[in-house]
Amino acid sequence: VNMELNEEQQTRAASFSIMCYEGNRLLRDWKQRKEKLTTKMAATTKMLVKATKQRTADNRDRADFPVGKRVSFSSTS
């Protein structure tokens, strides 16, 4: 631990302190984008569930008619 560094080792050590590791920044940015996307997806899912429930409730009031069968609304059939 208490070693004396020669001139070459001191020069190398000085260059390492200036060097920046971009990996941490990239990982932090990726995590933030992922959290935003997850939040946005959760909000969209909630909105879709709510819309589906509303459509289901609206469809309960409608009469069920068989698909492809003719329906007559005149008083004389």
Side-chain angles (χ1 to χ4, degrees):
V1 173
N2 295 326
M3 291 176 47
E4 291 290 326
L5 300 176
N6 64 25
E7 186 177 331
E8 182 181 334
Q9 290 171 331
Q10 289 176 353
T11 305
R12 283 183 67 196
S15 67
F16 286 131
S17 63
I18 296 171
M19 191 169 56
C20 179
Y21 179 63
E22 285 293 308
N24 287 335
R25 184 189 61 79
L26 292 171
L27 288 171
R28 187 175 49 251
D29 292 347
W30 177 77
K31 182 181 177 185
Q32 290 172 349
R33 284 193 306 269
K34 183 180 174 186
E35 288 171 353
K36 280 184 185 178
L37 181 62
T38 303
T39 304
K40 190 175 185 179
M41 287 176 62
T44 303
T45 302
K46 285 181 184 178
M47 182 183 68
L48 290 173
V49 167
K50 185 177 179 181
T52 303
K53 286 181 180 179
Q54 181 63 39
R55 269 184 295 194
T56 303
D58 291 345
N59 288 339
R60 286 187 191 132
D61 298 336
R62 295 184 182 174
D64 291 328
F65 293 107
V67 177
K69 183 170 180 172
R70 294 180 142 235
V71 179
S72 175
F73 293 99
S74 67
S75 59
T76 58
S77 324

